Amino acid sequence: MTDVRALLLDQKLALTPSEERIAQILLADYPTSGLGTASNLAKKAGVSDATVVRLAVKLGFDGFPDLQKRLLSEVEARLQSPLLMMETKRSNVAAQGIAESYLHAVSETIDKTISATPANTYDKVARIVMEAKGRVSLVGGRFSRHIAGMLAGYLSQFRANVHDIGTLAAPSFDILVDYGKRDVLIAFDYRRYQNDVVAFASQAAERGATVVLFTDQWLSPIAEHAEVTIICPLEVPSPYDTLAPAVAQIEALVAQILSSLDDTTRRRVENLESIRARNAVTVDVEDSSGSSPQPGPKRKKGITADA
Amino acid sequence: MTDVRALLLDQKLALTPSEERIAQILLADYPTSGLGTASNLAKKAGVSDATVVRLAVKLGFDGFPDLQKRLLSEVEARLQSPLLMMETKRSNVAAQGIAESYLHAVSETIDKTISATPANTYDKVARIVMEAKGRVSLVGGRFSRHIAGMLAGYLSQFRANVHDIGTLAAPSFDILVDYGKRDVLIAFDYRRYQNDVVAFASQAAERGATVVLFTDQWLSPIAEHAEVTIICPLEVPSPYDTLAPAVAQIEALVAQILSSLDDTTRRRVENLESIRARNAVTVDVEDSSGSSPQPGPKRKKGITADA
DNA sequence: CGATTTTCGAAAGAAATATTTCAGACCTGT
DNA sequence: ACAGGTCTGAAATATTTCTTTCGAAAATCG
């Protein structure tokens, strides 16, 4: 019995854009989001009820209730799992330091991230970014703008006309006037969603720009206007959410782009590297110890946390 | 929020014989048997639909759908369990797209990170940062400066006098003149190490500042001058390294700091929050759907310029 | 043993959910 | 620019699911 997740990820089915939105929501927190009503799911995905039903049929079910029945049996199977039984008893993993258990949580969240986004989403974004004829701008909230900055750093190696907007201020909105169909805006907006970012992205979309959104499973309001939405779970047992999975996602996007570079672009990257080398911006520490990845720089002072 | 199981076991409610049959079925394989339709449950218990509804009301719900919603959220909570996530991960190892396998690699790297740093290191850094009498500055390289920025964002919630240096330029070096024993410099330097960052950190150390270094396992030259060095493995099968573990580390540090806040600082954080709330910087999307964590923004290609 | 109360299911009615239809929007290739 | 195609949401329809009503059976009590 194939599980519904596999069906959703099956490339052969060639889901339509609306259908993919549904798939995305479904995968983002699988499978609970499919356990409510069809309309509810439709609303979450921002599509009509009809489309949800059509997807169910396309996947080979008799209708939505049929799909749901399958989902339910999957849930049941998982709840029956011996692992869970074990865990119910043994309350929590051994009491470690705060930092350590935090890192464990992050690792789990990243695992969740993997299954939360269909494979071809990255590909789609990669294409949008690399094929954009106009400008590619990046914007983010109080913390996420740093992620925007990182991605901007990578992207500007691959193409010209990349613009990191940085902190949004009143004058930032002026640049909206130049936005048009050929431009792309990559927005980062994780809860709690920031009014200025939402407003900015909305208006960019209004002017015809293609909006790519990175957000969490609760979906920033920007999702309404986004061409592609990349969802990232980032909840951890801490007052603040973790952005590490989001970083991993943009890096995955970069890996995706790298794998499909054409020759022109590849030359661009090489040129950049050589320019940097010529200006001695970086320094390599020579690896004295043959195969082992551990060099031996002298440690003069202080502590070195080591593997 | 009491769980449904507890309600069913509650003696005070004095269930009638038919109601108890339902309760029994429900508890027998909790909670999946309650996730279908009311009639289905009734049939399994050998009672009428009406009785099922009556039970739901008796338990204090508005009706069967209401009870079901609660059941659903309980399921969701259990499915979030770490161990189950691990299981999912294992079943997913099959060959995937570039982005996906990249994420897997990152996940592994983070696991490595956990064991790469002794537990008390975070604690030590937390103390250095929070007890510093002077200024806490942050500096980083071409990519890592974004991580510095993130950490600066967090830290400035906890103490005054946090300074994110941002991109290093010639004038940046001027501020070195003010560095002294009471100051702390947090430097991020992952390979390939940047000359300017190394120079800056070295001179800060020379002037007596306490240097905390985040670097990779090959150790930035700054390590020689650092009071504490936090090492992060960040190699993945890609031309670029991953910074996700580094982000996880600074967040772990924040978690550590949070756990040991004194009252003064805690009040500072609360004040910041309320100031932000009063100025309506962020927007919460209300959760329309009880059990499920998804909001339901109505999607319309029209624009809702906000705030 | 009968009167009264409680419990319960069948069936009707109400509400919700799912499905189909249809027309317009949006591509795509000529 | 235009024809042919696909995709999609609104609304109408069909279906299922839930709730209420009501009378009969069972239990309880005097």
Side-chain angles (χ1 to χ4, degrees):
Chain A
M1 212 215 264
T2 24
D3 83 344
V4 176
R5 188 202 312 259
L7 286 175
L8 288 171
L9 292 171
D10 187 355
Q11 301 292 321
K12 286 194 290 293
L13 281 168
L15 300 186
T16 70
S18 295
E19 285 166 349
E20 268 188 73
R21 301 186 84 130
I22 302 169
Q24 208 165 21
I25 297 292
L26 224 35
L27 291 169
D29 82 283
Y30 186 86
T32 26
S33 47
L35 259 34
T37 69
S39 318
N40 195 272
L41 177 59
K43 215 166 56 187
K44 276 187 237 168
V47 301
S48 68
D49 299 12
T51 307
V52 171
V53 174
R54 278 191 286 256
L55 175 62
V57 172
K58 195 167 185 175
L59 294 177
F61 298 95
D62 279 348
F64 183 76
D66 190 35
L67 179 154
Q68 199 170 51
K69 221 164 52 188
R70 173 76 128 278
L71 240 29
L72 245 145
S73 71
E74 285 177 22
V75 169
E76 187 164 21
R78 286 181 74 189
L79 286 179
Q80 235 70 54
S81 128
L83 274 177
L84 187 71
M85 298 293 150
M86 241 170 73
E87 197 201 0
T88 323
K89 284 184 186 130
R90 193 179 51 121
S91 58
N92 240 336
V93 201
Q96 294 151 328
I98 312 244
E100 236 152 344
S101 59
Y102 184 92
L103 288 176
H104 268 115
V106 171
S107 167
E108 270 152 28
T109 310
I110 291 210
D111 289 339
K112 241 183 273 181
T113 308
I114 296 172
S115 53
T117 311
N120 62 338
T121 307
Y122 295 103
D123 186 50
K124 203 181 305 171
V125 175
R127 241 192 317 261
I128 289 175
V129 169
M130 293 309 286
E131 289 170 6
K133 300 222 171 49
R135 179 187 274 213
V136 176
S137 307
L138 296 97
V139 70
R142 200 156 62 89
F143 286 103
S144 53
R145 76 188 153 88
H146 298 293
I147 299 186
M150 264 185 236
L151 183 54
Y154 286 118
L155 291 186
S156 57
Q157 314 207 355
F158 306 139
R159 56 161 292 156
N161 240 333
V162 173
H163 176 51
D164 180 21
I165 293 174
T167 306
L168 270 180
S172 313
F173 283 79
D174 293 349
I175 65 173
L176 278 169
V177 77
D178 290 326
Y179 274 46
K181 286 221 180 305
R182 304 153 59 87
D183 300 308
V184 173
L185 176 71
I186 304 183
F188 291 81
D189 196 25
Y190 302 100
R191 71 165 185 198
R192 314 167 35 155
Y193 312 116
Q194 269 181 243
N195 279 330
D196 50 359
V197 177
V198 174
F200 190 90
S202 306
Q203 289 174 49
E206 199 179 1
R207 289 170 182 282
T210 304
V211 174
V212 174
L213 171 68
F214 284 79
T215 189
D216 56 37
Q217 56 194 136
W218 294 279
L219 296 189
S220 154
I222 299 174
E224 292 182 43
H225 314 296
E227 178 80 17
V228 184
T229 302
I230 297 186
I231 296 173
C232 178
L234 26 71
E235 219 178 6
V236 282
S238 155
Y240 298 102
D241 293 327
T242 174
L243 285 178
V247 171
Q249 276 187 326
I250 63 155
E251 290 170 348
L253 173 62
V254 169
Q256 177 77 48
I257 292 176
L258 269 169
S259 76
S260 53
L261 284 187
D262 58 29
D263 280 349
T264 320
T265 320
R266 193 161 286 128
R267 228 168 297 129
R268 182 193 164 86
V269 176
E270 280 159 12
N271 277 335
L272 267 172
E273 286 297 326
S274 75
I275 287 173
R276 264 192 217 111
R278 201 163 321 135
N279 292 296
V281 177
T282 62
V283 52
D284 277 322
V285 175
E286 83 281 7
D287 190 340
S288 58
S289 56
S291 69
S292 158
Q294 279 296 358
K298 43 225 165 255
R299 275 166 215 181
K300 223 166 85 181
K301 163 182 177 183
I303 309 98
T304 296
D306 208 337
Chain B
M1 214 212 254
T2 22
D3 83 344
V4 177
R5 191 202 314 258
L7 286 174
L8 288 171
L9 293 170
D10 187 355
Q11 300 296 320
K12 285 194 291 293
L13 282 166
L15 301 185
T16 70
S18 298
E19 285 166 350
E20 269 192 73
R21 299 184 68 169
I22 302 170
Q24 212 162 6
I25 296 292
L26 223 36
L27 292 169
D29 81 271
Y30 185 86
T32 28
S33 47
L35 259 34
T37 70
S39 321
N40 192 275
L41 177 59
K43 213 167 58 194
K44 269 193 252 174
V47 301
S48 71
D49 300 10
T51 308
V52 171
V53 174
R54 277 191 285 259
L55 175 62
V57 173
K58 197 167 186 176
L59 293 178
F61 297 95
D62 278 349
F64 184 76
D66 190 35
L67 178 152
Q68 197 171 51
K69 220 159 58 180
R70 173 78 129 274
L71 239 28
L72 236 127
S73 70
E74 286 178 20
V75 169
E76 184 167 26
R78 290 181 71 190
L79 284 179
Q80 232 65 47
S81 121
L83 273 175
L84 276 178
M85 296 312 306
M86 269 174 65
E87 195 183 22
T88 312
K89 170 187 180 179
R90 214 141 283 152
S91 69
N92 258 5
V93 282
Q96 292 139 334
I98 310 222
E100 243 148 340
S101 57
Y102 183 91
L103 288 176
H104 267 115
V106 172
S107 167
E108 266 160 39
T109 310
I110 291 209
D111 287 339
K112 247 181 267 173
T113 307
I114 297 172
S115 52
T117 311
N120 65 335
T121 307
Y122 294 103
D123 186 49
K124 204 174 304 170
V125 174
R127 236 188 326 258
I128 289 175
V129 170
M130 293 308 286
E131 289 170 6
K133 299 226 170 45
R135 178 187 276 213
V136 176
S137 307
L138 295 98
V139 70
R142 200 157 62 89
F143 286 104
S144 54
R145 76 188 153 88
H146 297 292
I147 300 186
M150 263 186 239
L151 182 54
Y154 286 117
L155 292 185
S156 57
Q157 314 207 358
F158 305 138
R159 56 161 293 156
N161 240 333
V162 173
H163 177 52
D164 180 20
I165 294 174
T167 306
L168 271 179
S172 313
F173 283 80
D174 293 350
I175 65 173
L176 279 169
V177 77
D178 290 326
Y179 274 46
K181 285 216 182 307
R182 303 153 60 89
D183 300 307
V184 172
L185 176 71
I186 304 183
F188 291 81
D189 196 25
Y190 302 101
R191 73 166 184 194
R192 309 167 44 167
Y193 313 114
Q194 270 181 242
N195 280 330
D196 50 0
V197 177
V198 174
F200 190 91
S202 307
Q203 289 173 50
E206 253 167 62
R207 289 170 181 282
T210 305
V211 174
V212 174
L213 171 68
F214 284 80
T215 188
D216 55 39
Q217 54 196 134
W218 295 281
L219 296 190
S220 154
I222 300 174
E224 292 184 42
H225 313 295
E227 179 76 19
V228 185
T229 301
I230 297 184
I231 293 177
C232 177
L234 26 72
E235 221 181 4
V236 282
S238 155
Y240 297 102
D241 293 327
T242 174
L243 285 178
V247 171
Q249 277 187 325
I250 64 153
E251 290 171 346
L253 172 61
V254 169
Q256 179 75 49
I257 292 176
L258 268 169
S259 75
S260 53
L261 286 187
D262 57 33
D263 279 349
T264 320
T265 318
R266 193 162 286 131
R267 229 169 299 131
R268 183 194 164 85
V269 176
E270 280 159 13
N271 277 336
L272 267 172
E273 287 296 327
S274 75
I275 286 174
R276 263 190 218 112
R278 201 164 323 134
N279 292 296
V281 177
T282 63
V283 53
D284 276 322
V285 177
E286 85 283 8
D287 190 341
S288 61
S289 59
S291 75
S292 163
Q294 295 283 3
K298 30 196 171 301
R299 205 174 290 262
K300 194 80 210 208
K301 265 280 152 103
I303 304 308
T304 347
D306 204 338

